[in-house]
Amino acid sequence: MTFRFGVSVVALATIVGTLLSVLQPEKLSLETTASQAIAPETPTPNLPPERPLPTLQQQIQQLVSRQPNLTAGLYFFNLDSGASLNVGGDAVFPAASTIKFPILVAFFKAVDEGRVTLHERLTMRPDLIAPEAGTLQYQKPNSQYPALEVADLMITISDNTATNMIIDRLGGAAVLNQQFREWGLENTVINNLLPDMKGTNTTSPRDLATLMLKIGQGEIVSPRSRDRLLDIMRRTVTNTLLPAGLGKGATIAHKTGDIGIVVGDAGMVDMPNGQRYVAAMMVKRPYNDPRGSELIRQVSRMAYQAFEKLPPSQP
């Protein structure tokens, strides 16, 4: 008797479920989509242990020491071989426009979470308009632009007005700084809107390289947002720093920064041999001293050539 009752309950449930799927297909589809959206992500692959290159680090330190009034910090890590360079990588520098990279990550995280849509229109309020870099500053105040276009301009041509619009849309500096801390960025802080020529916004080479590493490993944002983010960063217009030291066939997704007193670049390099590494370097210098940019180019070239000779680590 109990057995028959159990069968009847199962049958009834099956019938009800079938009816619901016919009468409310949209609801079930939405619920299924939602459950898929919150499913845990595939674990990121393990990275090889760091393999410092002491000889090269010493050469770089000597190179820096021969440049009076320059203070450099850098952090490089090869995801395949584990080869690493850390010369003042945890030192805090004025972020300049490299701060736009973590802001871009926060933008795409907000998109993934449904707090922002790519096609929504952002208003260029007068209080957000900024001088120095970018073209939006010359447009009519209160003009509106799609959010994705604003984010693109923030990176590719380093538009300061676009950056301020994104910061505002994401809830302001305090909200973003909290996210940066959650991602493990110890020195990355927004204190003022752009252009921040006094250098009050801060970061460190290790922070920037670590964030790029997380993105490359599929963390923080969804695969679709990661692809969009890297596509934008590969179209950065200024290619006179880290890219200038790369070999033929290499590609880089990166963001530069320059406010005169500091110059920097951070990104992820894909080499023709299939290996990938993250790199970040910043140099404090006398205002607009060209030796700062040249130092980044030299170190980029030295690191690329060293990584190119090293085989991937064995599992």
Side-chain angles (χ1 to χ4, degrees), residues 40-294:
E41 295 183 0
T42 303
T44 55
N46 292 327
L47 291 168
E50 283 196 13
R51 294 168 54 194
L53 304 177
T55 301
L56 182 55
Q57 286 192 174
Q58 186 177 22
Q59 292 173 350
I60 292 171
Q61 288 170 333
Q62 291 173 349
L63 180 64
V64 174
S65 66
R66 293 197 294 267
Q67 304 293 330
N69 303 317
L70 295 188
T71 301
L74 62 99
Y75 184 84
F76 288 58
F77 178 78
N78 187 305
L79 283 66
D80 297 283
S81 68
S84 64
L85 294 168
N86 184 355
V87 177
D90 292 307
V92 180
F93 288 81
S97 286
T98 64
I99 197 71
K100 296 168 184 175
F101 166 42
I103 294 172
L104 183 69
V105 175
F107 171 78
F108 278 109
K109 183 172 176 59
V111 170
D112 289 339
E113 295 173 351
R115 295 183 285 113
V116 174
T117 62
L118 296 175
H119 59 271
E120 69 175 84
R121 301 186 74 79
L122 304 185
T123 301
M124 189 181 71
R125 299 196 316 267
D127 60 302
L128 300 176
I129 297 175
E132 303 297 335
T135 58
L136 288 182
Q137 61 180 306
Y138 304 113
Q139 306 307 310
K140 184 178 179 181
N142 294 314
S143 298
Q144 293 188 327
Y145 304 90
L148 181 58
E149 179 182 338
V150 176
D152 189 295
L153 291 172
M154 174 176 70
I155 299 297
T156 55
I157 64 170
S158 203
D159 196 298
N160 288 330
T161 301
T163 306
N164 293 342
M165 292 168 68
I166 296 294
I167 292 174
D168 180 74
R169 179 61 183 87
L170 296 179
V175 173
L176 289 169
N177 290 337
Q178 177 61 35
Q179 285 188 289
F180 300 162
R181 289 190 293 270
E182 291 171 357
W183 301 340
L185 308 183
E186 299 179 357
N187 301 307
T188 303
V189 181
I190 301 172
N191 289 305
N192 283 291
L193 292 178
L194 276 291
D196 187 39
M197 297 303 291
K198 294 183 179 180
T200 65
N201 300 330
T202 63
T203 191
S204 67
R206 186 194 282 269
D207 270 11
L208 294 172
T210 297
L211 181 58
M212 184 56 82
L213 177 62
K214 289 177 181 289
I215 296 302
Q217 290 294 94
E219 299 180 44
I220 303 179
V221 298
S222 68
R224 179 175 294 182
S225 286
R226 175 200 61 206
D227 292 346
R228 285 192 173 115
L229 182 153
L230 293 176
D231 172 68
I232 290 172
M233 296 189 73
R234 289 189 183 105
R235 291 187 283 107
T236 292
V237 171
T238 301
N239 289 308
T240 56
L241 299 172
L242 288 175
L246 306 182
K248 184 178 180 180
T251 61
I252 183 171
H254 70 121
K255 182 68 195 83
T256 58
D258 183 350
I259 54 171
I261 60 173
V262 68
V263 62
D265 200 357
M268 182 165 62
V269 177
D270 285 292
M271 305 172 71
N273 64 9
Q275 294 188 40
R276 168 178 281 184
Y277 66 90
V278 294
M281 182 169 178
M282 309 193 80
V283 182
K284 290 181 183 177
R285 60 182 181 172
Y287 196 83
N288 282 344
D289 190 325
R291 293 178 302 143
S293 298
E294 179 57 30

Side-chain angles (χ1 to χ4, degrees), residues 19-43:
L19 286 172
L20 284 173
S21 66
V22 173
L23 297 174
Q24 295 180 298
E26 297 88 356
K27 182 177 180 180
L28 286 180
S29 176
L30 287 172
E31 289 174 347
T32 301
T33 302
S35 66
Q36 291 173 343
I38 62 175
E41 295 183 0
T42 303

